[in-house]
Amino acid sequence: MASTTAIGVLIDGEWSTPTGAGIEVLDPATEDVLADVPSATLGDVEAAIAAARAAQPGWAGLPSVERGKAVRALADEQESELQRELLGGLS
């Protein structure tokens, strides 16, 4: 079996483990488990919605250039994490 990657949920700027059961993502060619995808409960979703509502006024108040920089920084972070995961699988 291939090694799997556990994926968390981002709520209020913090990564956490969802409280629902995970969902296995399978490689259709080998049926190896590729990842465990979080399955959020109603409580997880409600917490995420509350955090988003609380953050929205500040986010909306930022100039579009600053919002763009924030989105780019998040994308860069995700790309770096993906590269670490892919390179880690090669060693």
Side-chain angles (χ1 to χ4, degrees):
M1 177 194 287
S3 64
T4 62
T5 301
I7 302 170
V9 292
L10 182 64
I11 299 175
D12 200 16
E14 299 291 328
W15 286 102
S16 63
T17 303
T19 56
I23 300 169
E24 291 184 337
V25 177
L26 302 178
D27 179 330
T30 65
E31 296 187 359
D32 285 342
V33 177
L34 298 176
D36 295 314
V37 179
S39 176
T41 63
L42 179 58
D44 295 326
V45 173
E46 287 173 342
I49 290 170
R53 284 187 175 145
Q56 197 281 331
W59 180 256
L62 288 175
S64 60
V65 170
E66 294 304 314
R67 291 194 305 263
K69 287 179 185 178
V71 171
R72 170 52 60 197
L74 179 60
D76 289 344
E77 181 181 330
Q78 290 175 331
E79 183 176 358
S80 293
E81 179 62 26
L82 177 61
Q83 288 177 0
R84 280 191 296 276
E85 290 290 329
L86 292 175
L87 293 176
L90 295 177
S91 56

